[in-house]
Structure formats: C-alpha cells, structure tokens
Amino acid sequence: MDNLIVRTTALAMSVTLSYIRKGDTVVDATCGSGHDTLTLAQAVGEEGQVLAFDIQEQAIEQTEARLRSRGISNVRLLLDSFVSMTSCLPENSASAVVFNLGYLPGGDHGITTLAEITLEGMDAALRTIRPGGVVTFVLYDGHENGAEEKRQLLTRAEELDSSRYHAAYVSMLNQKRHPPEILWITKKRG
Ligand SMILES: C[S@@+](CC[C@H](N)C(=O)[O-])C[C@H]1O[C@@H](n2cnc3c(N)ncnc32)[C@H](O)[C@@H]1O
C-alpha cells in the first residue's frame, strides 16, 4: 500500500478514484504523458470513457503510446484546451475531472498551465461534473506561474457557494522542496 501522505499525486488519485464507477465518463484535463489517463481508463472500464485533453502534440503522442501498449481503447484524445470540455460533454455528466497542472515533465517548461485559463477550466469542470462528482487539481507552486495559479484557484474555491460545492485543500506542511498540493471540489447532490 502506498504511503499516501508522502506521495501527493497518489493521494490525489486515490480520493478521485473513490468517486468513479465502471461505466462512468471522466475527464483528464491535462493528459501529459498519460499516467493519469491510463489509471482513469482502467477505473471506468471498457464500458466507460475518458476524454483526455492536452495542448501539446507531444503529450497526446506520449499518452497514445502508453494506452496502446496496454491495449486501452476507451479514451478520446483531444489536442485542445481543457476549456473545450463543455462543448464535448453535456453538463452534469462526468463523475470526475482531473487537472495535473504545470508543465510536461521532460518537455518544454515554457508551456505550462496559466492561472487565467485554469480558472476557466475550473468553471468548465464544475459545469461538467455531475452532482456527487469531483474536480481534482494537483498544484505546483515551485515555479512563478504555479504560485500565481495556486493563489487564484484557492481564492476562487473559497468563494464557491457552499450550498452547491464543498472544497478541500491539502498542503504538505514541513516539506522544503515544494511538493505538489491538492484541491478537490465536489458538487453537492440536490
Ligand atoms: C504536469 S503535466 C500533466 C501530467 C499528466 N497528468 C501525467 O499523468 O503525465 C501538465 C500538462 O498540461 C498541459 N496543458 C497546459 N495548458 C493546457 C490547457 N489549457 N489545456 C490542456 N492541457 C494543458 C501541458 O501541455 C502539460 O502536458
């Protein structure tokens, strides 16, 4: 069993998976090299589907190769911004939307998620998840854009209507090397 407090990304995914059932529709907003996409595709099973976005061809290709090597075919890969998720899926349809922010590891560090666009992504994701679903953000504040992005996302999350949404935030308090942090938002059932 993973030591989940030490491994932030595993903690983020572990909680996310508790919201997902076989047959569900889920979104990987930033597929990168496809680790999360693969986990999500396995969680929803062949009867479910994953929509996976990235703005970089390199990321889409890496994800495609990872999925192909595992024989996974229930993923729609989209070379597009996550903001477009609302034109691909109806409102209240996904059980989870996952954002792993920042830049593609091993890729161009200049191509990164940006606060203003990620806020639009948050709005899109909150419309797309169904009641009882979850939006997960893995945040990196060790670089300049990331710190500003985190500040704006947390401010927006604090302002969300508490009768409709429940937001939770996890920070690793005594770690010196800026490990990622997690923001989860769930849409309450009517
Ligand atoms: C930290 S990586 C994601 C890692 C990935 N979850 C994995 O498991 O390998 C962040 C990714 O976000 C992508 N990205 C940046 N802005 C985006 C946007 N507006 N829409 C979709 N993807 C974006 C980057 O191209 C990069 O590949």
Side-chain angles (χ1 to χ4, degrees):
M1 175 87 172
D2 279 324
N3 184 342
L4 288 177
I5 291 177
V6 173
R7 295 195 53 226
T8 316
T9 50
L11 173 61
M13 184 53 82
S14 172
V15 172
T16 306
L17 290 176
S18 73
Y19 287 81
I20 297 174
R21 300 284 172 269
K22 294 275 182 217
D24 282 356
T25 296
V26 304
V27 176
D28 186 349
T30 56
C31 68
S33 52
H35 293 96
D36 293 339
T37 316
L38 174 62
T39 305
L40 294 169
Q42 289 168 333
V44 298
E46 282 175 11
E47 62 272 46
Q49 63 161 345
V50 181
L51 268 70
F53 293 85
D54 206 290
I55 52 170
Q56 293 191 71
E57 216 156 304
Q58 188 188 352
I60 297 293
E61 282 166 9
Q62 286 181 16
T63 301
E64 196 168 30
R66 187 178 302 283
L67 299 173
R68 197 181 323 114
S69 72
R70 303 298 187 97
I72 299 281
S73 59
N74 59 345
V75 177
R76 201 171 140 202
L77 287 167
L78 296 145
L79 179 60
D80 199 351
S81 171
F82 45 63
V83 171
S84 302
M85 75 178 85
T86 47
S87 47
C88 301
L89 287 175
E91 279 194 26
N92 298 315
S93 60
S95 56
V97 178
V98 175
F99 292 80
N100 190 330
L101 302 176
Y103 47 77
L104 180 64
D108 180 348
H109 289 197
I111 306 175
T112 180
T113 53
L114 295 169
E116 215 170 289
I117 298 168
T118 306
L119 284 179
E120 281 183 49
M122 178 193 272
D123 291 343
L126 290 177
R127 284 204 293 281
T128 303
I129 52 163
R130 65 189 184 201
V134 73
V135 183
T136 301
F137 294 90
V138 175
L139 313 160
Y140 301 82
D141 68 359
H143 59 105
E144 203 179 312
N145 279 332
E148 179 57 18
E149 184 175 46
K150 167 185 150 179
R151 197 187 61 71
Q152 293 196 27
L153 278 175
L154 293 183
T155 300
R156 178 70 63 89
E158 279 171 3
E159 290 167 355
L160 287 172
D161 177 355
S162 61
S163 68
R164 296 187 63 205
Y165 300 104
H166 192 112
Y169 166 59
V170 168
S171 179
M172 305 301 154
L173 292 173
N174 68 337
Q175 297 301 301
K176 308 276 180 274
R177 300 180 64 183
H178 294 282
E181 300 182 338
I182 312 168
L183 170 65
W184 290 287
I185 305 169
T186 185
K187 187 187 276 182
K188 292 182 175 177
R189 292 178 207 274

